[in-house]
Amino acid sequence: MKLKVYADRMSQPSRAVIIFCKVNGLDFEEIEVRLAKREQYSPEFKEINPMAKVPAIIDGRLKLFESHAILIYLACAFPGVADHWYPNDLSKRARIHSVLDWHHSNLRFGAAKFVLNKKLAPALGLPLNPEAAAEAEKILSSSLSKIESFWLKGSGRFLVGSNQPSIADISLVCEIMELELLDEEDRTRLLGPHKKVQEWIESTRRATRPHFDEVHKVLFKVKENLQKRQLLGTGASSGTATSHKTSLHSKI
Amino acid sequence: MKLKVYADRMSQPSRAVIIFCKVNGLDFEEIEVRLAKREQYSPEFKEINPMAKVPAIIDGRLKLFESHAILIYLACAFPGVADHWYPNDLSKRARIHSVLDWHHSNLRFGAAKFVLNKKLAPALGLPLNPEAAAEAEKILSSSLSKIESFWLKGSGRFLVGSNQPSIADISLVCEIMELELLDEEDRTRLLGPHKKVQEWIESTRRATRPHFDEVHKVLFKVKENLQKRQLLGTGASSGTATSHKTSLHSKI
């Protein structure tokens, strides 16, 4: 039975798993679980993941959720996945676990909360929450500084000093890509000071293309819609479907 | 060079790592980093973990932090650690990763925030925050329900249906032990409805004794001090050093 990946490309961990599968040529079926339509709460999906979150996978008899656990499983279960994605070397592997664990309470927590409360909430029928956004910005800024000064220190272009990308690079970069939804001013304030972070995003994108751009298309579509929404009433609108790739190149 | 474990037994992930080392007879040196004295911010410790958190380890040339990453590393790097702690079987291992990842944003997040804002803050010179406590209680209650109904479903006494404990059992149970610091009423309200959770805590304690009780002694000492503080003025005080084990048996 073919590997099934349940995902919504608007979810950053879903994108990480899909990009990993595509880059490594895994034979898989992508099944869309539309979060905007609350499909994650359907009885059918909760049989797969009772936590009602994407991504989740079914491989044979195994049902699995939590994107880091999925990425590790796929890297181990599918022969042909190059070692650099999840190295056999114990010390290298340990450092990848360390950055993935750190990610949960730092970059992930800060970025998701900031984007929601600063920009995305009205599109989901929720009010913006400046207080929550300010609190999240502290965590997000501190996380980006730590990536710049610690996780990207050394000569390697990728996390934990590696010359080749690992599952951690895909996971964390997909998270940071959420910042594309913000207004230019906010994104520049957050990412501007972090040159290594910007180079690392570009390195990860290059190492996983064309899949990285293709899987992120939906994010840029939503960004465009958010911008149109904001400009509504002025008669102006920005961007076109074909400008997405240009944005991706020029803005990060 | 002997494995060095930098820890404070008042930190739940520190306790998990120390218990794991002791239960598996690892040759290690425990080095106390006193959080109450802010020793985690010393330049010496930040050389080991720039995130200024415990636990952290040094093994040979490897410096490592994040307790889940440490537990996985130790289980793999030390021959003689029984397979059940971190199974070689890919599906079993994947499910352990899944519960450990889930832990970060659920049980861990809810329990730590609840205990701090409901009880511990004044002892740290901070004000109690009923609003934050109420918010955290929702996450904590939901997490305990999910452990009861999903992670402990099946016939096994341990997480993900296992008959023997894994690193995930130690990690999550050490987190729940923080609830010992709460008033009896709060702990009963939270844990009372969850019989399987209570049995699982006891199973994990039995599977790791006498180290579980010994490593948790400091927590019960702090609990006693908190109770004394609360009763100050009435002339009453509760518990003695020798009653800790009794509490551990009877209250969870």
Side-chain angles (χ1 to χ4, degrees):
Chain A
M1 200 172 72
K2 197 188 272 194
L3 168 70
K4 286 182 177 159
V5 176
Y6 296 81
D8 181 330
R9 292 186 179 198
M10 271 308 289
S11 120
Q12 53 275 46
S14 288
R15 291 196 299 270
V17 169
I18 295 166
I19 290 169
F20 180 85
C21 289
K22 286 179 176 263
V23 169
N24 287 286
L26 307 193
D27 185 21
F28 77 107
E29 180 187 356
E30 181 181 342
I31 298 154
E32 197 180 7
V33 180
R34 287 167 297 184
L35 302 179
K37 298 201 169 182
R38 298 174 64 82
E39 290 176 355
Q40 73 274 31
Y41 297 109
S42 72
E44 295 76 23
F45 185 67
K46 286 181 86 175
E47 275 296 305
I48 299 160
N49 181 3
M51 309 303 173
K53 293 197 170 173
V54 287
I57 64 165
I58 297 183
D59 189 35
R61 290 190 306 171
L62 178 68
K63 294 173 186 171
L64 190 65
F65 56 90
E66 286 290 339
S67 66
H68 297 173
I70 292 170
L71 290 166
I72 292 171
Y73 172 78
L74 295 176
C76 295
F78 285 78
V81 173
D83 185 73
H84 64 83
W85 291 109
Y86 185 61
N88 262 312
D89 176 88
L90 276 189
S91 294
K92 288 183 184 170
R93 182 173 286 196
R95 284 192 285 256
I96 287 170
H97 287 152
S98 182
V99 67
L100 285 171
D101 283 326
W102 173 85
H103 177 33
H104 282 287
S105 311
N106 293 281
L107 176 64
R108 173 94 234 250
F109 184 66
K113 196 171 170 180
F114 183 73
V115 172
L116 176 70
N117 289 294
K118 185 74 181 180
K119 184 75 183 181
L120 207 54
L124 303 172
L126 300 166
L128 291 175
N129 183 337
E131 203 179 303
E135 196 186 314
E137 182 167 346
K138 283 185 206 161
I139 299 166
L140 175 55
S141 282
S142 162
S143 300
L144 291 168
S145 294
K146 284 284 190 290
I147 295 174
E148 179 90 4
S149 65
F150 179 71
W151 294 116
L152 288 173
K153 78 175 178 186
S155 58
R157 284 177 301 139
F158 297 98
L159 294 169
V160 300
S162 179
N163 286 315
Q164 288 179 291
S166 75
I167 54 172
D169 294 284
I170 297 187
S171 180
L172 273 70
V173 167
C174 282
E175 190 70 50
I176 294 181
M177 286 301 289
E178 285 295 285
L179 305 185
E180 285 291 326
L181 296 177
L182 299 171
D183 292 345
E184 187 68 30
E185 185 192 340
D186 288 323
R187 205 168 63 255
T188 304
R189 184 178 72 254
L190 286 160
L191 284 175
H194 304 302
K195 299 298 172 204
K196 275 191 179 178
V197 170
Q198 294 174 49
E199 287 164 16
W200 160 64
I201 295 168
E202 185 57 20
S203 296
T204 303
R205 187 188 144 264
R206 282 173 189 259
T208 58
R209 66 181 172 187
H211 311 293
F212 189 92
D213 292 348
E214 188 251 319
V215 174
H216 278 91
K217 262 187 187 160
V218 63
L219 186 77
F220 284 91
K221 189 74 194 160
V222 169
K223 176 183 184 152
E224 192 181 300
N225 288 342
L226 287 172
Q227 284 173 338
K228 277 184 189 161
R229 196 186 166 111
Q230 206 163 3
L231 294 171
L232 214 67
T234 66
S237 87
S238 72
T240 66
T242 52
S243 76
H244 296 153
K245 276 199 167 184
T246 317
S247 301
L248 194 60
H249 282 275
S250 63
K251 288 184 179 165
I252 55 173
Chain B
M1 200 173 71
K2 197 189 272 193
L3 168 70
K4 287 183 176 159
V5 176
Y6 297 81
D8 181 331
R9 292 186 179 197
M10 271 309 289
S11 121
Q12 52 276 44
S14 287
R15 292 196 299 272
V17 169
I18 296 167
I19 291 169
F20 180 85
C21 289
K22 286 180 175 261
V23 168
N24 287 287
L26 306 194
D27 185 22
F28 76 107
E29 181 187 355
E30 182 181 341
I31 298 155
E32 198 180 8
V33 179
R34 288 167 297 184
L35 302 180
K37 298 202 170 182
R38 300 175 62 83
E39 290 176 356
Q40 73 273 31
Y41 298 108
S42 72
E44 295 76 22
F45 184 68
K46 287 181 85 175
E47 275 295 305
I48 299 160
N49 181 3
M51 310 301 174
K53 294 199 170 173
V54 286
I57 64 167
I58 297 182
D59 190 34
R61 290 190 306 171
L62 178 68
K63 295 173 184 171
L64 189 65
F65 56 90
E66 285 290 338
S67 67
H68 296 173
I70 291 171
L71 289 166
I72 291 171
Y73 172 78
L74 296 176
C76 295
F78 285 78
V81 172
D83 185 73
H84 64 83
W85 291 109
Y86 185 60
N88 262 311
D89 176 89
L90 276 189
S91 294
K92 288 182 183 172
R93 182 172 285 194
R95 284 192 286 257
I96 287 170
H97 287 154
S98 180
V99 67
L100 285 172
D101 283 325
W102 174 86
H103 178 33
H104 281 286
S105 312
N106 293 279
L107 177 64
R108 174 93 233 252
F109 184 66
K113 195 170 170 182
F114 184 73
V115 172
L116 176 69
N117 289 293
K118 184 74 181 182
K119 184 75 183 180
L120 207 55
L124 303 172
L126 299 166
L128 291 175
N129 184 337
E131 202 178 304
E135 195 187 314
E137 182 166 346
K138 282 184 208 161
I139 299 165
L140 175 55
S141 282
S142 161
S143 300
L144 291 168
S145 295
K146 283 285 190 288
I147 295 174
E148 179 90 4
S149 65
F150 179 71
W151 294 117
L152 288 172
K153 80 175 177 186
S155 57
R157 286 178 299 138
F158 297 98
L159 294 169
V160 299
S162 178
N163 286 315
Q164 288 179 292
S166 76
I167 54 172
D169 294 284
I170 297 188
S171 180
L172 273 70
V173 167
C174 282
E175 190 71 51
I176 294 182
M177 287 301 290
E178 286 294 286
L179 304 185
E180 285 290 324
L181 296 177
L182 298 172
D183 292 344
E184 186 68 30
E185 185 193 340
D186 288 323
R187 206 168 62 255
T188 303
R189 184 179 72 254
L190 286 161
L191 284 176
H194 304 302
K195 299 300 171 202
K196 275 190 179 178
V197 171
Q198 293 174 50
E199 287 163 18
W200 159 66
I201 296 168
E202 184 58 19
S203 296
T204 304
R205 186 186 145 267
R206 282 172 190 261
T208 57
R209 66 182 172 189
H211 310 292
F212 189 92
D213 293 349
E214 189 252 319
V215 174
H216 278 91
K217 261 186 187 160
V218 63
L219 186 76
F220 285 91
K221 189 75 194 162
V222 169
K223 175 182 184 151
E224 193 182 299
N225 289 342
L226 286 173
Q227 284 173 339
K228 276 183 188 161
R229 194 185 167 113
Q230 203 162 7
L231 293 170
L232 213 68
T234 66
S237 87
S238 72
T240 66
T242 54
S243 76
H244 295 155
K245 276 199 166 186
T246 317
S247 302
L248 194 60
H249 282 275
S250 62
K251 289 184 179 165
I252 55 172

